[in-house]
Amino acid sequence: MKFKSVFDIIGPVMIGPSSSHTAGAARIGRIARDLFGKQPTWARIHLYGSFAETYKGHGTDVAIVGGLLDYDTDDERIKTAFEEAAQVGMTYEFIPETAHTEHPNTARIVLGDDKQEMSIVGISIGGGKVELVELNGFPLRLSGGHAAILVVHDDRSGCIASVASCLAEQQINIGHMEVSRKEKGNMALMVIEVDQTVSQEVLEQIAALPNIIQVTRIAE
């Protein structure tokens, strides 16, 4: 196994007792907020496996709420995330589940406001690292460790090529890309990890392409 830095071995700088249950949980919450694109006003947090069994003792609950407030793993405000959430008017509910999942540290977060709703499924794979495995019912694999854009589009020929061409014109290199769809000819999802954070201007260019429904980004 190869490591890029000592932090890949000992885990991230963090608030809390566990890189898997606290730092990983905070990152799942923060990715959810990034994808939602603004501060949610409510969240339902379904916990599975080890998360469901130990979320209070290991600080998984405050960590996820802290992530939803856009706090990083080492932010001292994670300790008082419940109080901070009340101040910004965000309500939340934790729902321990008994259903079996492929990974023991799994959270499904449904979040929204009075205009929209979104759901994600994230897993904490150890050392503070996470993967996003589902977005609004679309299966995917997203680490959250790289800048990325997610493009919801009609399942039509030419969509993937037009998005890739737009990025190439802006000298943005694609590091990894996956495409999934719920059924043929319906909606599909592109997950594109890139070598730099994509600007708002480029996001708007992609959003203006034919058959594109929604574009969101995760910063580097």
Side-chain angles (χ1 to χ4, degrees):
M1 184 178 292
K2 294 182 180 180
F3 298 98
K4 293 182 179 179
S5 75
V6 66
F7 293 105
D8 290 332
I9 302 173
I10 64 174
V13 178
M14 65 179 186
I15 300 298
S18 170
S19 60
S20 294
H21 288 74
T22 314
R27 284 182 171 163
I28 291 172
R30 199 176 189 199
I31 291 173
R33 188 192 187 283
D34 280 349
L35 291 174
F36 192 63
K38 54 185 173 180
Q39 180 64 58
T41 59
W42 59 266
R44 294 193 304 274
I45 303 156
H46 302 260
L47 301 172
Y48 299 83
S50 182
F51 269 5
E53 295 169 0
T54 65
Y55 70 97
K56 292 182 179 179
H58 283 174
T60 303
D61 47 5
V62 292
I64 290 179
V65 171
L68 291 172
L69 294 171
D70 203 26
Y71 301 162
D72 205 349
T73 57
D74 60 349
D75 196 314
E76 290 284 342
R77 292 174 295 177
I78 285 178
K79 298 176 182 178
T80 55
F82 291 167
E83 291 83 355
E84 303 284 345
Q87 290 181 13
V88 301
M90 185 182 77
T91 61
Y92 51 87
E93 177 186 8
F94 288 95
I95 306 170
E97 303 282 4
T98 58
H100 175 75
T101 55
E102 290 186 11
H103 195 280
N105 300 329
T106 299
R108 176 185 295 274
I109 303 177
V110 184
L111 66 161
D113 56 19
D114 59 350
K115 294 182 179 179
Q116 65 186 95
E117 178 178 315
M118 186 190 80
S119 69
I120 74 158
V121 177
I123 60 175
S124 177
I125 60 176
K129 297 181 181 298
V130 304
E131 286 186 357
L132 187 66
V133 297
E134 184 182 304
L135 172 65
N136 290 338
F138 287 103
L140 71 156
R141 289 285 175 182
L142 182 64
S143 68
H146 302 279
I149 60 172
L150 285 76
V151 183
V152 180
H153 59 98
D154 292 325
D155 186 24
R156 301 287 186 273
S157 61
C159 279
I160 297 172
S162 63
V163 171
S165 295
C166 184
L167 293 174
E169 289 172 1
Q170 300 297 325
Q171 301 295 306
I172 298 172
N173 188 51
I174 296 174
H176 179 76
M177 181 176 184
E178 293 186 2
V179 181
S180 61
R181 60 186 181 182
K182 295 180 181 179
E183 59 183 64
K184 183 178 179 180
N186 201 336
M187 284 196 303
L189 173 68
M190 284 182 245
V191 180
I192 308 172
E193 292 189 346
V194 292
D195 291 345
Q196 65 204 72
T197 300
V198 178
S199 69
Q200 183 62 35
E201 180 182 359
V202 175
L203 292 180
E204 291 172 359
Q205 291 176 8
I206 294 173
L209 294 171
N211 298 308
I212 301 301
I213 299 170
Q214 182 181 8
V215 183
T216 55
R217 68 180 168 186
I218 296 177
E220 190 172 10

